[in-house]
Amino acid sequence: MKLSVDTHTHTISSGHAYSTVLENAQAAAQRGLSIMCVTDHAPTMPGAPHFWHFANQRVLPRFLHGVAVIRGVETNILNTDGDIDMDERILGMLDWVIGSFHEPIFTPADKQQHTRALIKAIESGRIDAVGHPGNPNFDFDFEAVIRAAAKNNVVLEINNSSLCGSRVGSDVRCEDIAACIKELGGRITTGSDAHFAYDVGNFDHVKKLLRKVNFPTEQVVTHAPSTFLRFLQERGRQPIEAFSIFQ
């Protein structure tokens, strides 16, 4: 399966990543990606940038090194009400919003609380994707969350970094999540979660997992640039004129 879009990348602005937007775009071009999403950590994460950083992404060119640039953010799910740490006004300026659990922000609790938080975040309409859901520190009811995501047109991420050991124990859970999504008719996105340019567009472990569960291409929003851009429009985003070449 060809994956043309990386929907989860970090730059030096995240505080614990090591490459610039330009370096990430160059790496994306070398990997043959069509689209790269810039998704630095939202302000509650220690070391993350001020909200002005996200509002000012309008200065980013729509293409760098021939790769389309999506202006995004990885927000933090803050509580069991599914609140995230980004103002509605700023969200309206962005193309792509991930909502994730991070241990420094949301102390791992129990399965019921994690499930409630995820469903509330999904139903809020404020996130497009759930980031690295395979993290074993945040167990949840797979079927309930995946059904909510499918109903609300939100995708779950298969995260390459999680499968490489950044969140030990994620591999089996990600496999089970993918199998459940396949069965229930939801969709996934694919993110490298790169914190250094060399990992942008690295989907080696993601592809292996998708092959293992025989995951359908039509349920992967990142398999073609046109598919991903169409998903954004389904989510209520206005078409981006500069990206009309992908139609």
Side-chain angles (χ1 to χ4, degrees):
M1 182 186 299
K2 180 175 174 57
L3 298 172
S4 300
V5 185
D6 189 342
T7 58
H8 193 158
T9 69
H10 293 278
T11 76
I12 54 173
S13 296
S14 281
H16 57 275
Y18 302 94
S19 302
T20 65
V21 176
L22 274 172
E23 289 166 340
N24 281 357
Q26 184 176 31
Q30 292 169 348
R31 290 269 188 183
L33 292 182
S34 298
I35 299 176
M36 175 190 77
C37 300
V38 180
T39 54
D40 283 313
H41 287 290
T44 307
M45 178 69 82
H50 189 271
F51 72 86
W52 288 348
H53 168 82
F54 301 96
N56 201 42
Q57 284 192 74
R58 63 181 181 275
V59 306
L60 294 178
R62 279 304 187 182
F63 284 89
L64 291 170
H65 293 287
V67 177
V69 176
I70 291 289
R71 302 161 184 170
V73 61
E74 183 183 15
T75 64
N76 298 285
I77 298 174
L78 300 174
N79 50 45
T80 55
D81 290 328
D83 294 325
I84 59 173
D85 56 341
M86 187 59 64
D87 183 86
E88 198 75 36
R89 181 170 54 93
I90 307 301
L91 292 176
M93 301 176 183
L94 301 176
D95 307 318
W96 174 249
V97 180
I98 302 171
S100 304
F101 284 132
H102 292 107
E103 287 85 350
I105 312 302
F106 190 119
T107 302
D110 58 41
K111 184 174 183 177
Q112 183 178 4
Q113 291 183 69
H114 302 155
T115 299
R116 173 183 163 84
L118 286 170
I119 291 176
K120 287 290 188 179
I122 288 166
E123 292 178 342
S124 74
R126 303 180 79 202
I127 67 170
D128 303 302
V130 174
H132 42 74
N135 187 344
N137 289 338
F138 294 101
D139 191 19
F140 63 92
D141 184 327
F142 290 175
E143 183 171 342
V145 169
I146 289 167
R147 285 191 185 280
K151 181 179 179 181
N152 289 275
N153 202 21
V154 170
V155 291
L156 273 69
E157 176 190 71
I158 303 299
N159 183 292
N160 199 77
S161 178
S162 292
L163 299 173
C164 292
S166 66
R167 301 171 191 89
V168 176
S170 292
D171 48 354
V172 174
R173 289 173 57 81
C174 286
E175 186 176 324
D176 290 343
I177 288 167
C180 192
I181 293 171
K182 174 185 173 182
E183 179 183 347
L184 297 177
R187 290 188 285 181
I188 66 163
T189 185
T190 53
S192 66
D193 201 357
H195 284 63
F196 186 63
Y198 287 1
D199 280 325
V200 173
N202 179 4
F203 297 127
D204 290 350
H205 290 81
V206 170
K207 289 180 178 179
K208 182 178 179 181
L209 184 151
L210 296 181
R211 284 195 299 269
K212 185 175 182 180
V213 301
N214 194 26
F215 199 86
T217 300
E218 60 270 20
Q219 289 177 249
V220 182
V221 300
T222 48
H223 77 87
S226 57
T227 304
F228 180 69
L229 294 173
R230 188 163 53 249
F231 172 73
L232 293 184
Q233 290 182 44
E234 291 172 8
R235 290 282 306 159
R237 302 300 199 289
Q238 292 299 309
I240 299 168
E241 185 177 353
F243 297 163
S244 60
I245 63 169
F246 293 123
Q247 302 304 317

